[in-house]
Amino acid sequence: MSFLIRQTLIFAVPLMIVALAGVFAERSGIINLALEGIMIVGAFVGVLVVHMMQKNEIFVRIIENGVLQNWGQLQLFMLIAMLIAGVAGAVFSLLLAFASINLKADQTIGGTALNMMAPALVLFLVRIIARQNELRMFSGDAASWFMIKKTMLGFSKETSNFFVDTFLDKVYLTTYLCIILFVVLSVILYKTRFGLRLRACGENPQAADSLGINVYRMRYAGVTISGALAGIGGFVYALTTANCMANGDVAGFGFLALAVMIFGNWKPLNIACAALLFGLFKCIAAASSTLDINGDGVFMLLEISKDPTWGKVLNANFYRLLPYLISLLVLAFTSKKSRAPKAEGIPYDKGSR
Amino acid sequence: MKDWGYNIGSSFSRVGGGLRSFLSKEGTRSVLATVISILAGLIAGAVLMLIVGLSSENLGGKSAWEGIRIIFGGLFSTGRDAEGALSFGFNSVNMGDMLFRATPLILCGLSVAVAFKTGLFNIGASGQYLAGTTATLFIALSIPQTAMPTWIIWLLAFMGGMLAGALWGAIPGMLKAFLNINEVLACIMTNWIAATLTTWVFDMSNLKNVTEGTKSAYIYKTSFNGVQTPKMGLDKLFPDSQVNGGIIIAIVIAVIVYIVLTKTTFGFELRACGANRHAAHYAGMKDRRNIVLSMAFAGALAGAAASLYWLSGNTEFYWTGAYQSLPSEGFNGIAVALLGASNPIATIFTGIFMSTLSISGLQLRNLTAFNEYITDVIIAVIVYLSAFSLLIKSLLGGKHRRIRVVDTPPPAEAVVNDSGSKPTEATTGKGDEE
């Protein structure tokens, strides 16, 4: 059970933070279809930063003195990489902002262009840097360095209870940081003047403009925050679920985050719940053959998939299908109730009536 | 997401003299905007290579210059001569492979273009392509050669691929028409569903290649069952290449799509729905039915793309990894359609351009330290520029114009005006731009 909850959190956090990225863009009136592409860029830049730090032997002294004693410093380096990934995502998203705000281009095509550009650009550079199709964080240990274990936090190896096992052992700092970020940004969106103005630009930009709000600037802010969050989400994805490597692909997480956003009806609390649900599905899909839910040493889902009758349906392929199928069904059943920001997708023109 | 119908095709009614009126023609400006997008994309790719080349110690300016030359002239690359310098000339293998690769690109471009005409963004061509792949390979490989002549199997497989694509395309169409779900999101989800289903279906099938030990992750080539697209003499023209009659079929289909869209009631209804769904509805057209049919039509074209690609008999399908990534043809189809301004005939040429680019990419990988992904960057830049092609067009026109849809057929205009409603931008007639 601890394993399931831990893994679900790991899958849910990037979805959650990227879905919030979508909210910031759409609430300001810009459809950000480029989330997937921005995640890819964020993942690449984050991995590249760690790669270069390792190559230039910045970590060496820390490793020599023992990972266990100096895990705090390692976490600091990881935070730097995450921040840079966020900045990269924000810069990349400016392409979308420029096209859709200044040039009033079609936002869907602009987003698609970014989605095509990101993997191409990343793979082009990865192939030149690493001479293969994936860039790793230089040495294979990175994942375990950045993982927090209970012994680091002062628990003995023998300590074993539900809380420690689930939330303090083999976890990543990014999980908790992203949750805090999610809460803080949600509060900003709903409880501050800035948030209100941003949302106004997505509902009725003309009215917002007549009250002296600079719609273009607010939309730039929305898209930039969105890009930064998606970049961070991409780095978190690379660090926690993609074996610390960048290969120009985030396995459709960006698109799934869009579905989470719509499922969550553009509201943070609903999005958090939706992300947990989708995280659970993704977790089952990824770990269906090694998932031991009740801790009795039996991999239940694996056993089911071996069953001659049930196994035809309930196998790894089915679990892979599940998140997308459910997204589609959810879209179908909630479409009548879903309430998208009114002005999303419509370029703001000061002169129009 | 309202006006997808800016696919300006033909307004050659006026005969003007001089550069100014030449430039002010819609057709000219469309073509010029396309050329500018292409050039800007190529230049962006060249600049990127120059930056990467100059900043990397093992590449340097010389190899960047070689890369740039291949980007522009990769189709005519003939490798390296004795001194190791790049040589250029007629290369029948490149030429034939280019035509082979153009086949699915043209058809996927048509798929996206047909949807554009109805005001829909078919980002699901990849999924429809996969549906076509699955059906085609299944039919082509599971009917034994002894049961019927192979050309009938070929025909059945081709039809099956188109039908599967059409059905897969109809799903987002129905979600859009009846539940008003954004077709972009529905297409994205159906894409990934198609990807997992494809792996699943082949996982259960007995079409996995078991005769060659190293190819266990692949499905048999259709030629294993003797099913193959006829070469139609093209192999004589371009010896040693992969070319086959598929390219001719693709061009014929493009012409048919052009005729259907411009000369038939069905095509007219599709375009009317794209120009103004509500006006079309008011005029008595079944707008919902048309949306579903348009997506099915688009899906059939993407399915045909897959059929022709796999029925060539010299390509193998990598089924084990199908669930991890979507085929790039579908996304490149968006670029093909945008560049061709959704005109089916123009799609032939933009498809050929795109496949030329991909041949350049291959040459780049084989001959230099760069790799083929730069061509994807170029395509992405072109799509990015296409997003504001209207701006480029209005800049070309010299004076500021209102952005309008010109290609709307006159009858819809008449209907809208008759009904007494306010004429929309899309229907304010053709000649008022002067």
Side-chain angles (χ1 to χ4, degrees):
Chain A
M1 200 67 196
S2 308
F3 174 77
L4 189 65
I5 293 174
R6 208 166 57 215
Q7 288 296 318
T8 301
L9 266 182
I10 281 179
F11 281 101
V13 155
L15 281 179
M16 199 162 94
I17 205 86
V18 178
L20 190 69
V23 170
F24 264 88
E26 301 222 343
R27 284 284 188 174
S28 75
I30 305 288
I31 295 177
N32 192 351
L33 207 65
L35 288 175
E36 175 101 352
I38 301 171
M39 276 183 85
I40 290 171
V41 169
F44 167 68
V45 172
V47 169
L48 185 68
V49 168
V50 179
H51 177 94
M52 287 187 347
M53 282 199 285
Q54 290 201 35
K55 208 170 180 180
N56 296 328
E57 309 191 330
I58 294 174
F59 292 158
V60 165
R61 196 154 349 113
I62 302 171
I63 308 302
E64 270 172 5
N65 294 338
V67 175
L68 279 186
Q69 282 73 41
N70 297 298
W71 63 274
Q73 284 168 315
L74 279 172
Q75 296 296 331
L76 196 67
F77 280 121
M78 189 213 61
L79 284 185
I80 294 170
M82 186 165 120
L83 270 181
I84 296 176
V87 172
V91 171
F92 190 60
S93 71
L94 285 179
L95 280 175
L96 176 71
F98 177 68
S100 50
I101 299 169
N102 295 75
L103 300 180
K104 302 184 173 48
D106 191 289
Q107 297 168 8
T108 320
I109 300 181
T112 308
L114 257 60
N115 279 340
M116 291 167 81
M117 179 129 35
L121 201 60
V122 166
L123 276 171
F124 176 71
L125 295 175
V126 163
R127 276 284 282 273
I128 285 176
I129 297 169
R131 293 173 191 281
Q132 56 181 1
N133 270 356
E134 56 194 44
L135 178 71
R136 296 187 166 275
M137 289 184 179
F138 199 62
S139 92
D141 276 0
S144 56
W145 290 348
F146 296 137
M147 190 189 269
I148 297 174
K149 302 193 183 66
K150 56 186 171 189
T151 45
M152 292 174 179
L153 300 172
F155 295 98
S156 71
K157 267 205 171 117
E158 287 74 35
T159 320
S160 178
N161 60 52
F162 177 73
F163 182 77
V164 172
D165 281 348
T166 313
F167 298 108
L168 296 176
D169 189 24
K170 293 180 194 153
V171 291
Y172 292 93
L173 183 63
T174 52
T175 307
Y176 301 109
L177 273 180
C178 285
I179 291 173
I180 294 170
L181 200 61
F182 185 86
V183 173
V184 170
L185 284 171
S186 306
V187 170
I188 287 178
L189 190 60
Y190 276 89
K191 302 289 177 199
T192 66
R193 201 159 57 179
F194 169 76
L196 182 65
R197 289 179 173 179
L198 189 96
R199 284 182 291 138
C201 292
E203 295 293 337
N204 194 337
Q206 279 79 11
D209 198 2
S210 73
L211 295 173
I213 299 170
N214 188 334
V215 176
Y216 297 128
R217 197 181 293 162
M218 285 322 259
R219 289 193 164 181
Y220 257 101
V223 176
T224 313
I225 294 173
S226 170
L229 285 176
I232 291 174
F235 175 70
V236 172
Y237 170 84
L239 179 75
T240 56
T241 50
N243 295 326
C244 293
M245 67 181 189
N247 56 359
D249 190 14
V250 289
F253 258 64
F255 294 130
L256 215 52
L258 274 178
V260 166
M261 177 188 78
I262 294 172
F263 190 16
N265 220 350
W266 290 266
K267 292 196 184 90
L269 196 62
N270 301 3
I271 284 174
C273 299
L276 282 175
L277 184 70
F278 279 72
L280 179 66
F281 289 131
K282 266 282 167 191
C283 165
I284 293 174
S288 68
S289 61
T290 55
L291 197 57
D292 181 7
I293 295 172
N294 46 11
D296 57 0
V298 179
F299 300 144
M300 197 176 78
L301 294 176
L302 183 68
E303 291 302 316
I304 292 176
S305 73
K306 281 181 188 157
D307 188 271
T309 47
W310 285 105
K312 283 212 172 64
V313 180
L314 297 174
N315 54 33
N317 288 316
F318 175 72
Y319 299 124
R320 276 184 211 128
L321 187 68
L322 216 50
Y324 303 109
L325 196 63
I326 288 184
S327 312
L328 201 61
L329 290 178
V330 161
L331 283 178
F333 284 112
T334 58
S335 67
K336 293 270 186 284
K337 271 189 284 176
S338 100
R339 224 198 70 45
K342 276 206 185 74
E344 70 165 16
I346 306 165
Y348 179 59
D349 189 345
K350 264 185 194 282
S352 72
R353 284 163 287 155
Chain B
M1 294 271 295
K2 278 195 183 131
D3 284 330
W4 286 105
Y6 55 67
N7 24 56
I8 289 121
S10 53
S11 139
F12 290 101
S13 49
R14 283 174 298 110
V15 182
L19 185 67
R20 197 180 176 79
S21 75
F22 175 72
L23 273 178
S24 65
K25 273 185 199 163
E26 284 295 341
T28 323
R29 281 193 283 151
S30 293
V31 172
L32 267 181
T34 302
V35 171
I36 288 175
S37 298
I38 289 175
L39 275 181
L42 288 173
I43 290 169
V47 169
L48 178 63
M49 280 210 290
L50 205 60
I51 294 171
V52 170
L54 290 179
S55 61
S56 155
E57 61 264 34
N58 28 351
L59 290 171
K62 186 175 166 290
S63 62
W65 172 236
E66 284 185 340
I68 292 167
R69 273 159 67 206
I70 288 187
I71 282 289
F72 282 90
L75 186 62
F76 300 102
S77 160
T78 50
R80 288 179 183 277
D81 58 18
E83 287 99 61
L86 291 173
S87 60
F88 292 90
F90 179 78
N91 184 336
S92 72
V93 178
N94 277 357
M95 214 48 116
D97 286 356
M98 184 275 282
L99 290 176
F100 172 64
R101 281 161 177 254
T103 311
L105 283 174
I106 291 172
L107 286 167
C108 281
L110 283 173
S111 165
V112 179
V114 165
F116 270 151
K117 288 278 184 192
T118 322
L120 301 166
F121 187 24
N122 181 18
I123 202 171
S126 298
Q128 295 142 17
Y129 184 91
L130 279 170
T133 303
T134 313
T136 298
L137 288 175
F138 247 87
I139 297 171
L141 289 171
S142 33
I143 302 176
Q145 284 183 67
T146 46
M148 55 182 81
T150 48
W151 67 268
I152 295 185
I153 304 181
W154 187 95
L155 210 59
L156 283 175
F158 183 62
M159 293 302 197
M162 278 177 75
L163 188 68
L167 289 175
W168 203 252
I171 295 173
M174 284 192 278
L175 290 172
K176 168 82 179 180
F178 298 106
L179 295 169
N180 204 18
I181 295 173
N182 187 330
E183 79 277 8
V184 175
L185 275 169
C187 279
I188 289 168
M189 294 306 149
T190 47
N191 273 349
W192 287 99
I193 292 173
T196 25
L197 278 182
T198 304
T199 303
W200 195 353
V201 165
F202 283 117
D203 198 11
M204 292 190 299
S205 76
N206 51 2
L207 308 175
K208 300 169 206 167
N209 191 336
V210 288
T211 49
E212 294 161 273
T214 54
K215 294 285 176 68
S216 59
Y218 292 86
I219 296 298
Y220 287 116
K221 298 174 184 177
T222 53
S223 50
F224 182 76
N225 197 25
V227 182
Q228 209 167 352
T229 312
K231 299 276 187 195
M232 298 190 188
L234 288 170
D235 53 336
K236 308 269 187 318
L237 221 53
F238 308 108
D240 302 325
S241 70
Q242 292 179 298
V243 73
N244 61 39
I247 181 72
I248 295 171
I249 300 172
I251 290 173
V252 169
I253 291 178
V255 174
I256 293 173
V257 169
Y258 177 76
I259 293 169
V260 167
L261 280 181
T262 52
K263 309 286 179 204
T264 66
T265 321
F266 171 61
F268 168 71
E269 287 201 5
L270 290 192
R271 286 183 297 135
C273 280
N276 189 334
R277 184 178 162 182
H278 304 290
H281 182 76
Y282 200 82
M285 297 174 192
K286 295 193 171 68
D287 57 332
R288 287 180 172 175
R289 191 201 63 175
N290 285 340
I291 285 174
V292 178
L293 283 182
S294 162
M295 281 306 284
F297 192 8
L301 290 166
S307 290
L308 288 182
Y309 186 72
W310 300 112
L311 285 173
S312 71
N314 47 23
T315 44
E316 306 170 275
F317 184 60
Y318 178 63
W319 68 272
T320 36
Y323 73 92
Q324 284 167 327
S325 59
L326 297 168
S328 61
E329 281 84 356
F331 295 106
N332 291 342
I334 297 171
V336 171
L338 283 174
L339 262 187
S342 298
N343 182 322
I345 303 297
T347 308
I348 300 171
F349 298 102
T350 49
I352 284 177
F353 165 73
M354 286 290 169
S355 91
T356 307
L357 211 53
S358 87
I359 293 290
S360 298
L362 278 186
Q363 299 296 321
L364 210 54
R365 186 179 64 184
N366 293 340
L367 298 173
T368 69
F370 295 100
N371 55 67
E372 70 272 27
Y373 296 107
I374 189 77
T375 58
D376 292 339
V377 176
I378 294 172
I379 292 173
V381 171
I382 291 172
V383 174
Y384 182 72
L385 293 177
S386 308
F388 44 86
S389 62
L390 274 180
L391 185 85
I392 300 178
K393 268 182 221 160
S394 69
L395 286 178
L396 282 173
K399 53 192 167 184
H400 184 71
R401 287 162 195 280
R402 279 205 318 147
I403 291 164
R404 304 171 312 107
V405 176
V406 177
D407 202 18
T408 312
E413 172 194 351
V415 167
V416 172
N417 289 339
D418 285 348
S419 70
S421 66
K422 190 182 159 216
T424 58
E425 282 197 334
T427 53
T428 38
K430 281 191 177 181
D432 68 349
E433 68 182 65
E434 289 306 302

